[in-house]
mmCIF file with all atom_site columns, all heavy atoms in Angstrom:
data_model
loop_
_atom_site.group_PDB
_atom_site.id
_atom_site.type_symbol
_atom_site.label_atom_id
_atom_site.label_alt_id
_atom_site.label_comp_id
_atom_site.label_asym_id
_atom_site.label_entity_id
_atom_site.label_seq_id
_atom_site.pdbx_PDB_ins_code
_atom_site.Cartn_x
_atom_site.Cartn_y
_atom_site.Cartn_z
_atom_site.occupancy
_atom_site.B_iso_or_equiv
_atom_site.pdbx_formal_charge
_atom_site.auth_seq_id
_atom_site.auth_comp_id
_atom_site.auth_asym_id
_atom_site.auth_atom_id
_atom_site.pdbx_PDB_model_num
ATOM 1  N N   . LEU A 1 46 ? 1.961  11.070 -3.275 1.00 85.00 ? 1325 LEU A N   1
ATOM 2  C CA  . LEU A 1 46 ? 0.549  11.209 -2.946 1.00 85.00 ? 1325 LEU A CA  1
ATOM 3  C C   . LEU A 1 46 ? 0.270  12.190 -1.811 1.00 85.00 ? 1325 LEU A C   1
ATOM 4  O O   . LEU A 1 46 ? -0.888 12.466 -1.523 1.00 85.00 ? 1325 LEU A O   1
ATOM 5  C CB  . LEU A 1 46 ? -0.045 9.842  -2.599 1.00 85.00 ? 1325 LEU A CB  1
ATOM 6  C CG  . LEU A 1 46 ? -0.027 8.832  -3.730 1.00 85.00 ? 1325 LEU A CG  1
ATOM 7  C CD1 . LEU A 1 46 ? -0.585 7.497  -3.249 1.00 85.00 ? 1325 LEU A CD1 1
ATOM 8  C CD2 . LEU A 1 46 ? -0.792 9.328  -4.938 1.00 85.00 ? 1325 LEU A CD2 1
ATOM 9  N N   . LEU A 1 47 ? 1.310  12.706 -1.180 1.00 84.00 ? 1326 LEU A N   1
ATOM 10 C CA  . LEU A 1 47 ? 1.129  13.679 -0.108 1.00 84.00 ? 1326 LEU A CA  1
ATOM 11 C C   . LEU A 1 47 ? 1.853  14.981 -0.442 1.00 84.00 ? 1326 LEU A C   1
ATOM 12 O O   . LEU A 1 47 ? 2.953  14.958 -1.000 1.00 84.00 ? 1326 LEU A O   1
ATOM 13 C CB  . LEU A 1 47 ? 1.683  13.148 1.221  1.00 84.00 ? 1326 LEU A CB  1
ATOM 14 C CG  . LEU A 1 47 ? 1.007  11.921 1.813  1.00 84.00 ? 1326 LEU A CG  1
ATOM 15 C CD1 . LEU A 1 47 ? 1.739  11.493 3.080  1.00 84.00 ? 1326 LEU A CD1 1
ATOM 16 C CD2 . LEU A 1 47 ? -0.455 12.184 2.100  1.00 84.00 ? 1326 LEU A CD2 1
ATOM 17 N N   . THR A 1 48 ? 1.254  16.085 -0.073 1.00 81.00 ? 1327 THR A N   1
ATOM 18 C CA  . THR A 1 48 ? 1.941  17.359 -0.187 1.00 81.00 ? 1327 THR A CA  1
ATOM 19 C C   . THR A 1 48 ? 2.985  17.430 0.924  1.00 81.00 ? 1327 THR A C   1
ATOM 20 O O   . THR A 1 48 ? 2.947  16.654 1.890  1.00 81.00 ? 1327 THR A O   1
ATOM 21 C CB  . THR A 1 48 ? 0.963  18.542 -0.029 1.00 81.00 ? 1327 THR A CB  1
ATOM 22 O OG1 . THR A 1 48 ? 0.461  18.531 1.308  1.00 81.00 ? 1327 THR A OG1 1
ATOM 23 C CG2 . THR A 1 48 ? -0.188 18.460 -1.033 1.00 81.00 ? 1327 THR A CG2 1
ATOM 24 N N   . THR A 1 49 ? 3.897  18.371 0.804  1.00 81.00 ? 1328 THR A N   1
ATOM 25 C CA  . THR A 1 49 ? 4.910  18.551 1.842  1.00 81.00 ? 1328 THR A CA  1
ATOM 26 C C   . THR A 1 49 ? 4.254  18.849 3.180  1.00 81.00 ? 1328 THR A C   1
ATOM 27 O O   . THR A 1 49 ? 4.661  18.327 4.226  1.00 81.00 ? 1328 THR A O   1
ATOM 28 C CB  . THR A 1 49 ? 5.865  19.691 1.444  1.00 81.00 ? 1328 THR A CB  1
ATOM 29 O OG1 . THR A 1 49 ? 6.452  19.359 0.179  1.00 81.00 ? 1328 THR A OG1 1
ATOM 30 C CG2 . THR A 1 49 ? 6.952  19.877 2.470  1.00 81.00 ? 1328 THR A CG2 1
ATOM 31 N N   . GLU A 1 50 ? 3.220  19.659 3.151  1.00 86.00 ? 1329 GLU A N   1
ATOM 32 C CA  . GLU A 1 50 ? 2.506  20.022 4.382  1.00 86.00 ? 1329 GLU A CA  1
ATOM 33 C C   . GLU A 1 50 ? 1.815  18.791 4.995  1.00 86.00 ? 1329 GLU A C   1
ATOM 34 O O   . GLU A 1 50 ? 1.879  18.563 6.202  1.00 86.00 ? 1329 GLU A O   1
ATOM 35 C CB  . GLU A 1 50 ? 1.487  21.123 4.090  1.00 86.00 ? 1329 GLU A CB  1
ATOM 36 C CG  . GLU A 1 50 ? 0.931  21.796 5.312  1.00 86.00 ? 1329 GLU A CG  1
ATOM 37 C CD  . GLU A 1 50 ? 1.991  22.495 6.154  1.00 86.00 ? 1329 GLU A CD  1
ATOM 38 O OE1 . GLU A 1 50 ? 2.961  23.051 5.603  1.00 86.00 ? 1329 GLU A OE1 1
ATOM 39 O OE2 . GLU A 1 50 ? 1.843  22.471 7.395  1.00 86.00 ? 1329 GLU A OE2 1
ATOM 40 N N   . GLU A 1 51 ? 1.164  17.984 4.158  1.00 83.00 ? 1330 GLU A N   1
ATOM 41 C CA  . GLU A 1 51 ? 0.483  16.782 4.659  1.00 83.00 ? 1330 GLU A CA  1
ATOM 42 C C   . GLU A 1 51 ? 1.465  15.783 5.252  1.00 83.00 ? 1330 GLU A C   1
ATOM 43 O O   . GLU A 1 51 ? 1.160  15.109 6.228  1.00 83.00 ? 1330 GLU A O   1
ATOM 44 C CB  . GLU A 1 51 ? -0.299 16.107 3.526  1.00 83.00 ? 1330 GLU A CB  1
ATOM 45 C CG  . GLU A 1 51 ? -1.523 16.871 3.098  1.00 83.00 ? 1330 GLU A CG  1
ATOM 46 C CD  . GLU A 1 51 ? -2.143 16.298 1.839  1.00 83.00 ? 1330 GLU A CD  1
ATOM 47 O OE1 . GLU A 1 51 ? -1.416 15.704 1.013  1.00 83.00 ? 1330 GLU A OE1 1
ATOM 48 O OE2 . GLU A 1 51 ? -3.366 16.473 1.679  1.00 83.00 ? 1330 GLU A OE2 1
#
Side-chain angles (χ1 to χ4, degrees):
L1325 297 178
L1326 296 177
T1327 66
T1328 302
E1329 194 61 35
E1330 289 171 332

